[in-house]
Amino acid sequence: MTLFPDENQQRLLAAHGLDGRFGAQWVSIADGHEVARHLHFPAETIETCDFQTAMRSYDPGGFAQRVWITSHAPGWSHVLLLSGGEASSAQELSRHGQRVFEISYVGGIEELDEPIYTHDGEYRSIVDEAEYAAHWTDLSSDNTTTVPELMDQFLIVIGRITGRFLDQDWVSSEGLLCIMP
């Protein structure tokens, strides 16, 4: 597969303040309000806002659970972790045949986990899934590949799977700011 984004995915995140910590999920549920319900956010704590407004809640070390949920591509929502716990909600979001892809990155210590893939409540390795092998074939890494380069590759693979890369339209879009009281 030779589909590439117009801009480097990792640099896009860094340019918009997401280089200290980035936690995100791509969920095969189109309705952001449904995603928020699956994540147990009370309706009264959900407001519509743009990326810049949501980023005012960005606190990588914070404990209050805050996410920004946007439409990603047909049939997909994107959940950006702004603040709060490390516990993954992928099992819950993936119930009833749904798919969830998840990336977690912590800057400073350059910690990047392999993308997590969860289908119908079961964790799987995205790297080992034959269904997604074609999305990796033209990407390569070795012991000289930097963490930012690897992050870019992971984001490319997820963009290929979901049908959309992160882009300027994403950082210009409206979504749901969800706060756990």
Side-chain angles (χ1 to χ4, degrees):
M1 177 161 287
T2 58
L3 187 60
F4 285 94
D6 291 335
E7 56 192 310
N8 180 288
Q9 300 289 274
Q10 188 278 331
R11 280 190 232 133
L12 173 78
L13 295 176
H16 293 282
L18 292 166
D19 52 347
R21 177 177 172 203
F22 177 73
Q25 295 173 321
W26 291 256
V27 184
S28 64
I29 299 172
D31 182 356
H33 287 282
E34 184 179 345
V35 173
R37 278 191 299 278
H38 282 285
L39 295 174
H40 307 291
F41 284 100
E44 65 274 8
T45 69
I46 299 171
E47 66 179 72
T48 301
C49 71
D50 62 12
F51 176 81
Q52 288 73 25
T53 302
M55 284 299 289
R56 291 185 201 136
S57 294
Y58 180 69
D59 181 7
F63 294 104
Q65 184 75 33
R66 293 184 181 122
V67 301
W68 186 58
I69 303 170
T70 56
S71 176
H72 179 68
W76 290 91
S77 291
H78 186 264
V79 180
L80 174 65
L81 179 64
L82 298 169
S83 172
E86 292 294 320
S88 173
S89 51
Q91 281 187 301
E92 178 66 28
L93 287 169
S94 71
R95 300 270 183 228
H96 309 293
Q98 302 302 325
R99 297 179 292 163
V100 177
F101 297 94
E102 185 171 9
I103 289 183
S104 178
Y105 166 75
V106 179
I109 60 172
E110 296 295 307
E111 180 180 311
L112 174 64
D113 296 328
E114 178 183 301
I116 296 170
Y117 167 52
T118 309
H119 182 254
D120 203 15
E122 182 180 317
Y123 289 106
R124 302 173 179 192
S125 171
I126 188 174
V127 176
D128 296 335
E129 290 291 314
E131 173 181 7
Y132 302 120
H135 300 290
W136 295 94
T137 57
D138 63 341
L139 302 173
S140 63
S141 63
D142 58 29
N143 61 356
T144 64
T145 305
T146 66
V147 170
E149 291 169 335
L150 197 55
M151 172 79 147
D152 186 57
Q153 288 185 12
F154 290 167
L155 291 166
I156 288 170
V157 169
I158 291 175
R160 289 173 175 177
I161 292 168
T162 62
R164 181 182 179 197
F165 299 111
L166 298 179
D167 54 23
Q168 291 300 325
D169 286 342
W170 174 67
V171 295
S172 299
S173 66
E174 293 234 328
L176 303 174
L177 177 61
C178 306
I179 301 170
M180 190 62 72

